Amino acid sequence: MAFIKNAWYVASWTHDLKDEPLPQTILNEKIVLWRGEDGVVRAAEDVCPHRFLPLSKGRIAGNDIQCGYHGLIFNGNGECVRAPTQLIRPDCRIREYPVFETMGMVWIWMGDTAIADISEIYDLPQYHQTEWGVAFGDALDVEANYLLLCDNLCDPTHVNYVHPSTLGNPEGINAPVTHESTSWGVVTERLTVDSAPTGFVAAFGGHNGRVDMWQRYLMYLPSVSIIDFGATAAGTGNWQEGGDARIQVYSCHFMTPVTETRTIDRWLHVRNFEPDDQAVGENISEQFRIAFAEDKEILEAVQKEETVHEGRLKIGLDLDASAGLFRLKINRLLKGETPNQSAK
Amino acid sequence: MAFIKNAWYVASWTHDLKDEPLPQTILNEKIVLWRGEDGVVRAAEDVCPHRFLPLSKGRIAGNDIQCGYHGLIFNGNGECVRAPTQLIRPDCRIREYPVFETMGMVWIWMGDTAIADISEIYDLPQYHQTEWGVAFGDALDVEANYLLLCDNLCDPTHVNYVHPSTLGNPEGINAPVTHESTSWGVVTERLTVDSAPTGFVAAFGGHNGRVDMWQRYLMYLPSVSIIDFGATAAGTGNWQEGGDARIQVYSCHFMTPVTETRTIDRWLHVRNFEPDDQAVGENISEQFRIAFAEDKEILEAVQKEETVHEGRLKIGLDLDASAGLFRLKINRLLKGETPNQSAK
Amino acid sequence: MAFIKNAWYVASWTHDLKDEPLPQTILNEKIVLWRGEDGVVRAAEDVCPHRFLPLSKGRIAGNDIQCGYHGLIFNGNGECVRAPTQLIRPDCRIREYPVFETMGMVWIWMGDTAIADISEIYDLPQYHQTEWGVAFGDALDVEANYLLLCDNLCDPTHVNYVHPSTLGNPEGINAPVTHESTSWGVVTERLTVDSAPTGFVAAFGGHNGRVDMWQRYLMYLPSVSIIDFGATAAGTGNWQEGGDARIQVYSCHFMTPVTETRTIDRWLHVRNFEPDDQAVGENISEQFRIAFAEDKEILEAVQKEETVHEGRLKIGLDLDASAGLFRLKINRLLKGETPNQSAK
Ligand code: FES
Ligand code: FES
Ligand code: FES
């Protein structure tokens, strides 16, 4: 299976890059990231072209990186700038990768460097606004293809079965799900009107009476998911307007394919209440942590069975429509990246 | 290597099936077992046909089983009886397996359901008689093909080399071994006349003087082994008659092939002395536990070497005759199940 | 990749062979070693030809070895000398291997037994002399091909990058390296004249002033490495002569290929100072232990990448010359052992 190359992926948290080189596998490529003494992050192929020791086994030398075996030094453009006991060979170089830091993360461009454009990096405006509180979660390591995670993040139906005790809402089981194609991906929506509050909404919104709740799954190509959910007192407004005692959370997933069967899901959330109380943020993260572990278990099991039942036809259900549309868009992008193959 | 399909195998202990679905791999097939709220055990293919999540990751719903991802419900006939947010698709079904409980175990029929006949399940009459005591052992997980276990259970010779300190009898090393073909398998016998008692016979039979001892290995097709062994005071009777201070034990192995190189051996024993004293039963089981762990080590080592030395000719010994006959019968059964191949 | 067969390799430490059979994999061959009750070490193929149980799972019987499954007994020539309950089959035999003990190690000949000659076993004269002290190190298990270890042991350049805090000498970074072809392999030399002492030389030689230091890497075909290193007060002599406060160490590596990607490196050292003080020996070994663990990490990383980057061209550096020559000699020996292939 191919990956979309001409895209920005999250390579690490900003706080993971200190004074040691950091190895990461992204789209099956082994990459070393390091922060120079000037504070700027750089990325290159994680291999010394001499004897193939990963450069991440070496050390940062100023703004450059030095191999830990015989001391070759490479700069952020992948050029060898020093060789021990001899002159530099001009063919001694490795692949570099454009990187950029924003939203507490290091983003990497995996495709053609000539068209890397940092304005295309996903941005959530609320992340930067002081009325909103940010809480960083974990880098969840899931042994499953990233599209299985995307399926899950296009599908509100699973919530009641996978997360019955945390995010589920028995009253909402039959609430209608709709979806819509956008220029950047797919939005899937479930509005639950005049319902008892879920545990989450009761705990963090202080709602005891009936509420209107929304879940909007914004799935951005190729692998950023923003789940916009919240509640207001029943009949006082909806997700677009105001509403009494309105609480709103953006639960954000930045998924980085490692291999065909492994994905790192770095997640954080942004909320419209008690923005400065870190304990509230951590409390919400703890709820998410439990729920995402439930997803992980399901997704890893499904991944394993995909191999076992290779070639077996799946039974399709109505609830697959949104995820199916997202996969269609992924395939179109893939074809665009491999013109020869699409011409066949 | 093929397995015999038209046969009953043990799928689990009765006491393993409570209020959670139980996944088991049998003859390379992944199966889910569950006990409905009516107390009846059911079995089906362990896969949801929607996205292939194993149904064993879901939950029991009444007498049915519900998928843990999007909530599809299947009954014991493998039919989908409820789908969330839509009508049931008639093609949404999975394979069912006939099951039956007896002798504290759940038995499963792996072949053509049309010819499943519970009267063919192996039964040991003494298991049900009050003068005999029953003790359940373990589900021993052995990384070896089930036929390597069967070889071992047709062969009294190994006892002195593999179990020198537990079941072995140095005086019996040259006692003659005979075997006999039966309609249901093979019996291998070793009678040791007028010998010092083995440690087991001394400990549990109270024998200090000379004894006559018998070991009868009853190997039933395809994979049930009953070892009938015991002792009487020398010259007072044999295994068929009475004899002074006669002790007799049926050591029973119910072997379930998991894969070509893995077998679960569920074992128990039935004895003719102190039938109601559980401590005696557990004491004997503890002896067996040590001995079977010795077998496991040998069999797993042999299994590994079979792969290493694939194609290398083995040296045959006289002691292989009984196991060889059993394997011949297995091969005949296999040919009977695959008529096209046997016609070649 | 082929191995050189007609050569002596170290199979174990002398002190590892007591009253249990010892399994070892050497050049991909599974071998059992045992010491008979006469004190003589024997070696044979580690497999019983009956059902393929490794003989190392059995026991020593006098000077012979007995299978742990059905009791076949084999002597040191690989002949079956006893079979239970029957006569011996003349075709029941296994491969034997010539072995010899010297320098605290058991050596094994892996090739044509007809030409095994113990006078070809590597010997270090100083090992046997009382003015020199011997200290045994460990059997270092490295997940890398033995030639990657040989590369490392032909290359003084890596010391400053891999062992900066133990064996490295920043002043010596630009000291010239020379190498020379010999009848038995390759010698690589680095002389560092009039330098500050390394940590090692200061600690064990008591040198505070300027020193002349030498490192001579003697790499013997196919896999013995002797690193002769030492120091004298600057200008008073060199490695061939005397010199004030001269200290000299032979750091010896006996490398046994296990598989294409695994090597056991048994190491010891011989020193010209405080020969009878075991604490000094162990103190030096402890320094080596730290350094060799650093090598192991690098070599295992390089081995992994060799697979990842299979077929990718390496950038050559001047420092590769000596290791390259050694590999050339290995290839010539390999061709000599496979005449048909070299004729192509
Ligand atoms: S492997 Fe990097 S410098 Fe040699
Ligand atoms: S995977 Fe079972 S209902 Fe979807
Ligand atoms: S396997 Fe060695 S004697 Fe049977």
Side-chain angles (χ1 to χ4, degrees), chain A residues 48-53 55 67-72 74 84, chain C residues 302 317:
Chain A
C48 175
H50 175 223
R51 298 304 301 269
F52 299 165
L53 185 74
L55 289 171
C67 180
Y69 200 173
H70 311 96
L72 289 181
F74 298 86
Chain C
V302 166
L317 298 179

Side-chain angles (χ1 to χ4, degrees), chain B residues 44-79:
Chain B
E45 202 181 351
D46 190 15
V47 65
C48 174
H50 176 224
R51 298 304 302 269
F52 299 166
L53 184 72
L55 289 171
S56 55
K57 294 268 178 195
R59 58 192 71 83
I60 296 169
N63 296 330
D64 303 325
I65 190 162
Q66 179 175 41
C67 178
Y69 200 173
H70 311 96
L72 288 182
I73 297 183
F74 297 86
N75 68 15
N77 299 325
E79 299 156 351

